[in-house]
Amino acid sequence: MTQAPAIPEVTRRRHDREIVALAVPAFGALVAEPLFVMADSAIVGHLGTAQLAGLGVASALLTTAVSVFVFLAYATTAAVARRVGAGDLKSAIRQGMDGIWLALLLGIAVIAVVLPLAPGIVDIFGASTTAAPCATTYLRISSLGIPAMLIILAATGVLRGLQNTRTPLYVAGAGFVANGALNAGLVYGAGLGIAGSAWGTVIAQFGMAAVYLTVVVRGARQHEASLRPDVAGIRASAQAGVPLLVRTLSLRAILMIATGVAAHLGDADIAAHQIILSLWSLLAFALDAIAIAGQAIIGRCLGADDARGAREACRRMVQWGTATGVVLGLLVVAARPVFLPLFTSDSAVKDAALPALLMVALSQPVCGIVFVLDGVLMGAGDGPYLAWAMVVTLAVFAPIALLVPTLGGGLTALWAAMTLMMAIRMLTLWLRTRSGRWIVTGATR
């Protein structure tokens, strides 16, 4: 970013309070998401290996499918926050309703694809003959909950845009408890097996979606915003989401390439890679929480025509991201002797993971800056640039990663390539924020 005078102490404290108020509840809600899968795994795991393997395949497919549509939260947050900043709460909620209607339509479309094609999709992902029937059963039933999952994404974006991250935390917490109770009751009490786990999750998801819709509808009535679907508004929400979809697909491709390369390195390396990737994902939740705060704050500032406030908030959040990354990196170094034994007793896996973990630790300050700047540009509605930057990053990363098995270096070299990938992202995002071209004020971009 361009040189600017130091942020006044009063302003810095105000930004700090806002960041903490938004980021801490957002982190709790983000962590609740993987806990759903963990709870399902713990309950289904006692049914047998085939059931657990089937759940693993189906849940991976569902997680991928839903993560592709995460733009429903990101784009909605930015659009709603701008209108909040402009003081037009009626239009803000109306914009949010357009995102929710889009989520419903996309969810119905996904069901139409998954229900008939579930067996073929499971086969493509290499499920064994014993696990495939379980995976198909779970996938078909759970796909019925995809509209609810997508509505939750869009409604979460609405509330974030309204500067409210506490409600998503409460709903996610209640949903986690309900999901666990329903799963246990239907799997064991009703004797439905893996199908009971799927139905329990679907019921919990629709319950969460109903709570979100109640909150949003109440706000719409309070501000006299229409609840009816608006074709132009839904189309605008979809158009805003397309660049973020490209960004997300490029990022997913990077992670898939990394996993594929690790698989070619050998069993110990792929096992170590999965352990490290799970840690990397957990660390990402902490950094993403700051990014979510960035989306909400930046969108509101720009909607209020406060370009200076947006710049100051951006600078302060970069400082937060950097400091958080340093702390997380130090925690990884300190915890590595305890962390690895939790996942494996295989010395070969530990030997492969240890130096790669150090690469992850070194990369955390860079990751902190990347996540924050990503959130800033999302909040500014700068989706086309984010899409272009991620495609460029993928184009640079892919050949380097694919050369790792040939050039040697093992898993450490692969995670060095992942660190390079994050450095490229940081460079592209820093250049954009430094240029100031992301600063477009007004209720709409």
Side-chain angles (χ1 to χ4, degrees), residues 50-265:
Q51 289 86 344
L52 184 58
L55 172 66
V57 172
S59 62
L61 289 168
L62 288 165
T63 301
T64 300
V66 173
S67 67
V68 165
F69 297 110
V70 73
F71 69 83
L72 289 167
Y74 294 159
T76 304
T77 297
V80 171
R82 274 185 175 270
R83 287 162 175 80
V84 169
D88 190 353
L89 289 177
K90 179 178 180 179
S91 293
I93 296 175
R94 174 65 261 179
Q95 180 72 38
M97 285 304 306
D98 291 335
I100 291 173
W101 279 111
L102 175 62
L104 177 61
L105 294 174
L106 290 173
I108 293 171
V110 173
I111 290 178
V113 172
V114 172
L115 277 180
L117 298 180
I121 296 172
V122 168
D123 287 341
I124 290 173
F125 277 77
S128 67
T129 54
T130 54
C134 298
T136 300
T137 297
Y138 191 92
L139 182 60
R140 276 183 164 157
I141 297 173
S142 293
S143 69
L144 300 176
I146 288 179
M149 286 188 271
L150 299 189
I151 288 172
I152 289 169
L153 281 178
T156 299
V158 175
L159 295 179
R160 289 173 181 171
L162 294 170
Q163 318 294 297
N164 177 2
T165 56
R166 290 184 177 273
T167 298
L169 171 62
Y170 301 147
V171 176
F176 171 71
V177 173
N179 178 70
L182 286 166
N183 270 257
L186 294 175
V187 171
Y188 298 115
L192 296 180
I194 193 169
S197 176
W199 281 117
T201 300
V202 168
I203 294 169
Q205 288 161 345
F206 271 101
M208 292 169 66
V211 173
Y212 275 116
L213 288 175
T214 300
V215 173
V216 174
V217 168
R218 185 182 301 152
R221 288 175 175 169
Q222 179 181 351
H223 297 285
E224 300 181 344
S226 174
L227 298 173
R228 295 179 180 178
D230 177 68
V231 175
I234 294 172
R235 185 187 302 115
S237 295
Q239 289 172 343
V242 168
L244 296 179
L245 176 61
V246 172
R247 168 201 168 274
T248 300
L249 290 174
S250 299
L251 180 57
R252 296 298 302 184
I254 288 171
L255 297 177
M256 289 176 65
I257 289 170
T259 299
V261 170
H264 281 85
L265 295 174

